[in-house]
Amino acid sequence: MQQAEIYERLTQTLRDVFDDESLVATPELTAHDVKEWDSVNHITLVVAIEEEFGVKFKTAELEKMKNVGQMAEAIEKKTAA
Amino acid sequence: MQLNWLPLREDWDALLRSVKGMGPAGVGLVLRDLAGSRMEFSQMGKLDRAFTRAVEACDGAIPGLERVKLAILGSATISHLPPGIRVAGLRRGLQIDVYEAPYGMYWQELIDQASGLHAFAPDVLLLALDARHLAGAEGSTEAAAMELMRSCWRQARTQFQCQVLQQTVMPVFPNLMGDNEERLAQSPAAIVAKVNERLRAESEAEGVDLLAVDRFAAAEGMEFWYGADFWHRSKHEVHPKATAIYGDHVARLIAAGRGKSAKCLVLDLDNTLWGGVIGDDGLNGIVLGQGNGNGEAFLDFQRYALGLSRRGVILAVCSKNDEKNALEPFEQHPEMVLKRGDISCFVANWTDKAANLRHIAKSLNIGLDALVFADDNPVERALIRQELPMVAVPEMPEDPAGYVATVAAAGYFEGLKITDEDRARGQLYQANAERERLKDTVTDMGSYLESLRMHLIAQPFDSVGLTRVTQLINKTNQFNLTTQRHTEAEVTALMRNPKVVTLQVRLLDRFGDNGIIAILVARANGAEAEIETWLMSCRVLGRNVEEACLNVLVEQAGALRVRRLVGIYRPTEKNGMVREMYRTLGFELTETEESGATRWTLNLEDYELRPVPMQVEVVREAAV
């Protein structure tokens, strides 16, 4: 899957989960930048992304992710196979 | 694959967007519509937020929704559960306000009078304790787990007098032994199994209703219900993706507790109860029964419907057919599991189904929101969803093998209590079986009838029996001399007319009450009284009930100074069994019309009361 498509779909998922139409997925975006992005919503986000892209993240992967860019990379790898 | 009985809605996202900016007036209906459609995980979250905002915009209560206060108490993470519960409540016309107790603090919240829980004062309390908490520690026992839950239930009941829901224990533990795990007493998996067994045995006496997550997990796969990764990361025992179905089960228990479960399953016929079209394919052409995969699937669906009816769900038929064709399989197809007598309201005509469903609800005297409509035809389903959004319309799969699972999974008929009626029904079946047995042992008919100790009660129509009388007038086909149908308003008019003798006849015997089993209507006109209606339930054939009824009728007609009774027989496809009834009862044939209808006369002066093997009681004054 192309990076552009991944970011486009991530943007939509972020907007759905955090109920904020102004959100745009960028590589630098982190939980600190989004008011609603707390630990509860983080779980919702992970499930929503897994559903959107048909992928499954390992716990170790999730722990390492520091921003949306790393998440997009992980999705790219998983969907490349 | 969850919520697959709900229909997909193409315009779901657009409709959700339209909720923004809606006033209190229509918002409840639109939200309910959205909640009644199938949705993805993130759509559920969006709907829940739109709902929550709408509640705020309506100052806490959306008009048209019933408010319920639910408190969730858990031993691990429960913060992901409310959206699925709220959306599922919405699906049933409920606004569920949820209170989440702080993480793990179920006991403190229960006993501390100053807790948030006490301030909230729940209508329903859900206790969601995780398996590790109950059975995972060194030294855990089934007895200790039960004792813990029991203390919580008692606290909840005495503090709040609310409905208490107990989540059964999720079977998250691996087997240490294997298939014979229960032999290892200290095995956590074995403890969970035993606790769940005891919950089933003991919860009813404690006034507690179970949320059977272990059963869902067994049915749908543990990997869907529980993810070890989610547990380890964030102590979510119920998988976030399972929260939609979890919430639906919570909401159906709450709805059932408030009497909002559906009461009637309305069945289409062609391609729903059998394969093919009875009007085109004929009795021998329809697909039903053994030896054919689809035929067996239709049988299975019929068995499911019959099982529901045995526990009190009313069955009705709504079919586009000529009635005669529609009835044919019920009366003649040897493989039919459902019989005409299992169907309380049978509607087969060419009127649109929305009108017919209204008629069914009215004639059964239940609300439209108590109906579930099962039809294989997507066009009919769409029509009903549009015209009658309060009727539940499951999305039937194309393969009839999936019919049972789909309707059952939807949980429309969730029940909590065994009613007195359920018990009585059980007894009635047993009594019928005993009656049959007795018939086998007594060879002489006279002494058999005597041994039944029958007690017949005849009384004029009254408002109490009106619905049942109207129902019998409109559904009885076989033992029905004139097949004269009447609306409830017409029956009321008959009841109030002093020149009309009306009789509703009840029969009791040593095995129980058979209910109203015969209806007679005779209209006095000068010296004659014409019997406009005489019908009887076939269940009491061969018991001299006809003679007993005639005795009562003669007496009542005599009181109106009538000298002759006139009986009429109008032949139909179904009523051949009573063609000669008036002759048998001593009437004289006076006229045969071209249509085959016959008129009969009985002179009252010559009439001698017939001896009948039962006690006859005549109630004269209608208790209107």
Side-chain angles (χ1 to χ4, degrees), chain B residues 499 523-530 557-558 560-566 601-605:
Chain B
K499 302 294 280 181
R523 190 185 296 267
N525 186 2
E528 290 183 354
E530 188 175 294
L560 291 177
R561 302 210 186 100
V562 163
R563 289 199 297 277
R564 282 186 304 279
L565 276 181
V566 175
T601 304
L602 181 75
N603 279 321
L604 299 191
E605 285 145 27

Side-chain angles (χ1 to χ4, degrees), chain A residues 18-68:
Chain A
F18 299 118
D19 199 25
D20 181 350
E21 290 297 312
S22 70
L23 284 177
V24 177
T26 59
E28 300 78 30
L29 191 72
T30 71
H32 297 295
D33 305 320
V34 181
K35 188 167 150 270
E36 300 280 313
W37 195 333
D38 57 16
S39 60
V40 173
N41 279 336
H42 182 70
I43 300 294
T44 309
L45 178 68
V46 169
V47 176
I49 291 173
E50 286 184 343
E51 190 168 85
E52 173 66 27
F53 292 94
V55 299
K56 184 101 184 91
F57 297 114
K58 297 192 200 86
T59 300
E61 286 175 315
L62 288 170
E63 281 171 354
K64 272 190 291 186
M65 285 174 196
K66 299 297 175 221
N67 55 32
V68 169

Side-chain angles (χ1 to χ4, degrees), chain B residues 383-552:
Chain B
L383 172 85
I384 298 305
R385 284 184 193 125
Q386 190 190 322
E387 296 289 311
L388 305 172
M390 62 296 267
V391 174
V393 184
E395 195 62 5
M396 302 294 275
E398 283 187 18
D399 187 341
Y403 285 178
V404 173
T406 301
V407 178
Y412 300 119
F413 304 106
E414 189 76 28
L416 299 174
K417 302 261 183 301
I418 299 297
T419 63
D420 291 343
E421 269 180 34
D422 289 328
R423 288 194 193 93
R425 200 172 296 110
Q427 284 161 4
L428 188 65
Y429 286 118
Q430 236 175 329
N432 276 334
E434 261 184 69
R435 252 177 231 125
E436 290 305 315
R437 262 209 304 283
L438 194 61
K439 217 187 249 173
D440 290 341
T441 55
V442 183
T443 48
D444 163 49
M445 197 38 101
S447 56
Y448 165 69
L449 292 176
E450 290 295 338
S451 75
L452 287 176
R453 295 204 298 275
M454 288 185 284
H455 179 183
L456 179 141
I457 304 169
Q459 67 179 96
F461 294 174
D462 59 6
S463 50
V464 178
L466 193 58
T467 305
R468 176 66 181 149
V469 166
T470 309
Q471 194 186 44
L472 281 171
I473 284 177
N474 290 302
K475 80 169 197 185
T476 308
N477 289 320
Q478 298 188 76
F479 195 116
N480 194 336
L481 275 300
T482 56
T483 319
Q484 175 70 53
R485 308 300 193 196
H486 285 303
T487 62
E488 201 166 295
E490 288 164 347
V491 176
T492 309
L494 290 172
M495 176 171 101
R496 297 201 173 131
N497 187 335
K499 302 294 280 181
V500 175
V501 176
T502 62
L503 289 174
Q504 49 179 330
V505 182
R506 178 181 290 275
L507 185 71
L508 297 87
D509 60 35
R510 59 183 282 209
F511 299 110
D513 186 351
N514 293 281
I516 304 293
I517 46 80
I519 304 283
L520 288 86
V521 177
R523 190 185 296 267
N525 186 2
E528 290 183 354
E530 188 175 294
I531 306 170
E532 295 180 350
T533 293
W534 186 332
L535 60 87
M536 209 170 86
S537 160
C538 293
R539 276 182 304 172
V540 295
L541 282 179
R543 297 214 210 165
N544 300 128
V545 171
E546 302 92 313
E547 284 81 357
C549 287
L550 183 59
N551 284 348
V552 176

